[in-house]
Amino acid sequence: MLYLTLEKQLHAAVEAIAPGADLSDLQVRPCAEAKFGDYQCNLMTLARRLQRPPRPFAEEVKGRLDVGRWCEAVELAGAGFLNFRLHPEAMAAELQQAAGGGGLFFRPAEKPKTVVVDFSSPNVAKPMHVGHIRSTILGDSLARILRVLGHRVITDNHLGDWGTQFGKLLLGWKQKLTPEQRQRVTIDDLERLYKEVNAACEADAAQLEAARQELVKLQQGDPENLGIWQRMIELSRAEFDAVYQRLGVRFDYTLGESFYNPFLKQVVQELLERGIARESDGAVCVFSDGTLPPKEDPFLIQREGGWVPNPCLILKSDGAANYATTDLATLDYRWRTWRPDEIVYVTDGRQQLHFRQVFAVFRRWQPEAAAHMRLAHVWFGSILGEDGRPFKTRSGDTIRLSELLDEAEERALAVVNQKNPDLPQDERRRIARVVGVGAVKYADLLPNRQSDYVFSWDKMLSLQGNSAVYLLYAYARIRSIFRKGAEQGVTVEGAGSVRLETAEERALARHLLNFGLVLRIAAEEYRPNYLCNYLYDLAGLFARFFEQCPVLKSEPAVRASRLTLCDLTARVLRQGLEVLGIETLEQI
Ligand code: ARG
């Protein structure tokens, strides 16, 4: 891979100047604009770390570089950048290597990491709603990207299967359901039950107390309550699994919160014994230890101009552990069980403080483990309706994921019916399923994850513009070139050497080479949107190439080279969509 080669050369050059320097962040990136070159390396941070003036340092690195075999030019730019311009022959050679099965512009990681991805994690006895969609889709894509890069990925669905909602649900189950109803209960019944009991509890303190009693009994292991709770979990999981199946999402583990119950006491006790936690008003809490500047300290909060304690509660005054305690036990379990290099938590932005506190408590509790692991809270914003308010149904209810997918498939079917009325009905349905699910996923992955985005059916299913539909069409269009070629007896097999003669061919080639680099950056920053934009640009560059450069009608040597470009583009599109969790179609 050319970018890896350049990085190796850069490392060697810096090593010669500053032996033993930490080179971990010395990387090349694609140049934003082709006029500056193909790859760029920013040497400023490294120079600063070495206490060298950046520009002269970059100059010196450039002097030591030996990259003439691959680059026609290396230029010093700005305050400490190096820009590399590749030889067209070097590009062509790399394309040819990929065409010959040498990997799609990336190589599996030399030192694979073990990464736990904690995502989706809906709450039991509640239907999965769009709030969980981003976690499921983002988390799945991150897991796929990390996997394709050769890392050992462990996906874990941290189901919310233990919590105060069960007191009310148990009470409702006992009070409001007849034995027959209990036999046929659905997730909708549970939701209704919960709403009813919740309302009753608000109106009547005795009901609230009764619900609390049911919860206490569950927590103490009452067999009847445990049995009902188990039923509710099974019901919910069947519903969740149906959605996961539609989305093509799978988990290696589904260790819900309840799995950690046996460890909670121990966690609280250890934190108390080590003086990390202390009693406060009958509860047990972790306070600031004063080692962090207040701005970065998750146990402090600014109020009226001063900093006041913002403790992390780990044992409530009624003796119950909570969400944070469970997450601490979970972290400890994951460390003991899998020794991960990285744990990635995918949830909405409202949980930022929670994770900052949990990570900070863990660092104090198990500094060695914490030093070994990268703990990342990958958070995201909300999905808004076209009115700019939280996305709801017309009647104001939260929208269910399964209904959303139904609607996506229906709408996609309308598009397919229009475009391709002659296809057999089940073929049209199959296409609509892939397009509909793909459209929902892509719309979710495309925006910067930290911003809220407006859910728009029209944008999502638009044939122009940056959408899954557009990319799926681009892919199918390239595949149709090969079908047409095959009819004429032309195949990509035995393609001759790649020649990059026109500007369009070079632009497409240059972009293809960046696939691996973009995957790597998307994984490092946990941002699949980089990949979406990359694929969109790829489809655009391909369209321009295809407009300007005849493929099947060219003379054989040119045709073979261009067919190779077509094939590589299709393969990158397919692989790229696959790691976004989106299936491709040979024909739409
Ligand atoms: N069940 C939680 C929710 O729906 C998300 C859990 C995320 N994972 C974790 N380890 N806390 O908000």
Side-chain angles (χ1 to χ4, degrees):
M1 301 312 117
L2 284 168
Y3 68 94
L4 294 177
T5 308
L6 293 183
E7 280 176 0
K8 219 174 246 154
Q9 298 298 326
L10 275 161
H11 284 201
V14 174
E15 180 64 33
I17 299 169
D22 171 10
L23 304 177
S24 51
D25 55 4
L26 186 61
Q27 296 185 342
V28 300
R29 300 258 151 160
C31 255
E33 282 183 68
K35 63 174 186 231
F36 297 127
D38 299 307
Y39 290 116
Q40 178 165 81
C41 177
N42 177 347
L43 286 160
M44 290 186 296
T45 324
L46 180 61
R48 228 169 282 135
R49 211 165 45 229
L50 295 171
Q51 302 188 332
R52 308 276 296 262
R55 210 176 143 95
F57 177 70
E59 179 85 62
E60 198 180 340
V61 173
K62 182 179 167 228
R64 293 265 182 177
L65 274 175
D66 182 16
V67 294
R69 274 170 61 200
W70 307 283
C71 300
E72 55 185 27
V74 181
E75 271 160 26
L76 183 64
F81 289 93
L82 290 180
N83 288 338
F84 300 85
R85 188 181 305 282
L86 299 170
H87 278 305
E89 302 84 72
M91 282 199 216
E94 179 136 325
L95 291 166
Q96 221 158 306
Q97 217 173 22
L104 269 187
F105 313 109
F106 63 91
R107 213 181 282 142
E110 270 169 30
K111 291 184 217 131
K113 293 182 288 188
T114 297
V115 188
V116 177
V117 187
D118 173 322
F119 72 103
S120 194
S121 313
N123 298 320
V124 162
K126 295 181 184 163
M128 225 197 279
H129 58 76
V130 288
H132 292 112
I133 192 177
R134 291 197 94 174
S135 177
T136 308
I137 292 172
L138 252 167
D140 179 53
S141 173
L142 291 172
R144 285 168 185 263
I145 294 173
L146 287 161
R147 241 181 220 135
V148 88
L149 289 173
H151 300 294
R152 173 175 174 243
V153 176
I154 298 169
T155 51
D156 187 3
N157 191 356
H158 192 75
L159 228 50
D161 63 358
W162 194 257
T164 47
Q165 80 258 39
F166 287 104
K168 289 172 184 165
L169 283 161
L170 284 162
L171 186 65
W173 182 284
K174 292 179 182 178
Q175 283 181 341
K176 298 193 193 278
L177 297 183
T178 63
E180 296 78 59
Q181 281 173 326
R182 287 179 200 159
Q183 291 302 313
R184 296 177 276 103
V185 76
T186 64
I187 190 103
D188 294 323
D189 299 332
L190 292 184
E191 195 193 8
R192 207 167 5 84
L193 213 57
Y194 180 79
K195 276 193 189 150
E196 279 174 32
V197 180
N198 204 28
C201 286
E202 267 165 32
D204 179 358
Q207 280 290 78
L208 187 63
E209 179 53 26
R212 215 184 59 80
Q213 286 303 325
E214 294 297 344
L215 185 66
V216 171
K217 270 167 71 186
L218 175 70
Q219 286 165 343
Q220 288 168 347
D222 172 79
E224 187 194 3
N225 280 12
L226 273 177
I228 301 171
W229 168 74
Q230 199 61 51
R231 278 278 319 272
M232 295 195 229
I233 291 183
E234 277 158 23
L235 263 170
S236 298
R237 285 198 58 172
E239 155 124 352
F240 298 156
D241 285 344
V243 174
Y244 294 141
Q245 190 152 11
R246 281 179 89 172
L247 292 173
V249 171
R250 49 165 219 92
F251 296 93
D252 300 313
Y253 297 91
T254 299
L255 303 177
E257 293 179 13
S258 66
F259 176 81
Y260 302 96
N261 283 345
F263 310 118
L264 300 178
K265 253 207 193 105
Q266 179 81 22
V267 172
V268 176
Q269 204 169 338
E270 271 189 41
L271 292 173
L272 276 170
E273 276 167 14
R274 304 225 194 143
I276 297 165
R278 63 178 156 88
E279 278 194 48
S280 166
D281 293 331
V284 178
C285 301
V286 177
F287 288 86
S288 168
D289 64 356
T291 55
L292 285 172
K295 258 197 181 141
E296 288 163 33
D297 192 328
F299 307 104
L300 293 178
I301 195 167
Q302 205 160 23
R303 210 161 277 152
E304 287 157 21
W307 293 96
V308 298
N310 182 33
C312 174
L313 185 67
I314 57 167
L315 195 69
K316 293 191 248 176
S317 48
D318 65 4
N322 66 4
Y323 189 48
T325 331
T326 308
D327 258 325
L328 286 165
T330 307
L331 242 172
D332 174 57
Y333 175 86
R334 287 174 177 161
W335 169 248
R336 280 188 282 116
T337 314
W338 299 310
R339 295 276 146 169
D341 300 287
E342 199 168 310
I343 305 182
V344 182
Y345 298 80
V346 189
T347 83
D348 72 60
R350 286 169 303 183
Q351 301 197 27
Q352 284 177 82
L353 179 64
H354 166 75
F355 283 106
R356 285 176 58 218
Q357 290 194 330
V358 167
F359 297 167
V361 176
F362 188 74
R363 263 179 228 120
R364 276 153 73 178
W365 177 25
Q366 301 191 41
E368 267 168 50
H372 181 87
M373 281 189 288
R374 177 179 181 190
L375 299 175
H377 180 213
V378 173
W379 59 270
F380 51 82
S382 338
I383 307 182
L384 306 176
E386 300 207 59
D387 56 2
R389 320 187 56 179
F391 191 41
K392 296 260 161 85
T393 61
R394 253 175 241 120
S395 58
D397 290 332
T398 46
I399 294 172
R400 307 214 168 155
L401 197 40
S402 57
E403 286 166 6
L404 191 82
L405 294 175
D406 291 343
E407 183 161 356
E409 288 183 22
E410 279 315 309
R411 286 177 182 256
L413 187 61
V415 177
V416 180
N417 284 342
Q418 212 176 38
K419 276 239 143 197
N420 239 335
D422 301 331
L423 284 176
Q425 157 101 17
D426 24 320
E427 184 61 10
R428 271 179 283 139
R429 280 244 159 239
R430 192 180 73 87
I431 294 173
R433 184 186 61 76
V434 173
V435 171
V437 174
V440 169
K441 287 190 177 184
Y442 193 83
D444 207 66
L445 293 168
L446 176 64
N448 170 348
R449 63 177 156 79
Q450 283 156 342
S451 40
D452 297 344
Y453 81 91
V454 174
F455 191 94
S456 153
W457 286 116
D458 293 337
K459 248 202 297 339
M460 190 178 298
L461 292 165
S462 137
L463 299 172
Q464 278 89 39
N466 198 348
S467 70
V469 191
Y470 172 78
L471 294 178
L472 289 171
Y473 265 105
Y475 176 77
R477 186 153 146 226
I478 303 177
R479 299 300 303 154
S480 78
I481 301 170
F482 287 97
R483 279 194 298 277
K484 208 160 139 204
E487 284 166 18
Q488 303 169 6
V490 180
T491 56
V492 74
E493 252 91 53
S497 57
V498 175
R499 317 161 162 203
L500 303 172
E501 278 158 10
T502 65
E504 289 80 13
E505 286 169 301
R506 276 197 296 275
L508 178 61
R510 171 178 186 269
H511 198 67
L512 281 169
L513 297 187
N514 284 340
F515 182 50
L517 202 44
V518 171
L519 280 176
R520 186 174 83 182
I521 303 170
E524 257 160 34
E525 297 183 23
Y526 311 112
R527 293 190 189 279
N529 58 316
Y530 292 167
L531 186 56
C532 297
N533 287 317
Y534 169 85
L535 295 175
Y536 177 63
D537 291 340
L538 179 64
L541 289 166
F542 182 81
R544 239 156 289 148
F545 152 79
F546 197 59
E547 250 166 51
Q548 298 300 322
C549 307
V551 177
L552 292 174
K553 291 202 178 93
S554 296
E555 51 105 356
V558 175
R559 183 178 65 198
S561 166
R562 290 185 178 164
L563 276 174
T564 303
L565 284 178
C566 291
D567 183 48
L568 287 170
T569 304
R571 282 167 53 196
V572 167
L573 277 172
R574 186 174 55 209
Q575 174 83 83
L577 286 165
E578 190 181 303
V579 295
L580 295 174
I582 299 172
E583 285 175 65
T584 38
L585 297 155
E586 292 299 296
Q587 207 170 350
I588 302 193

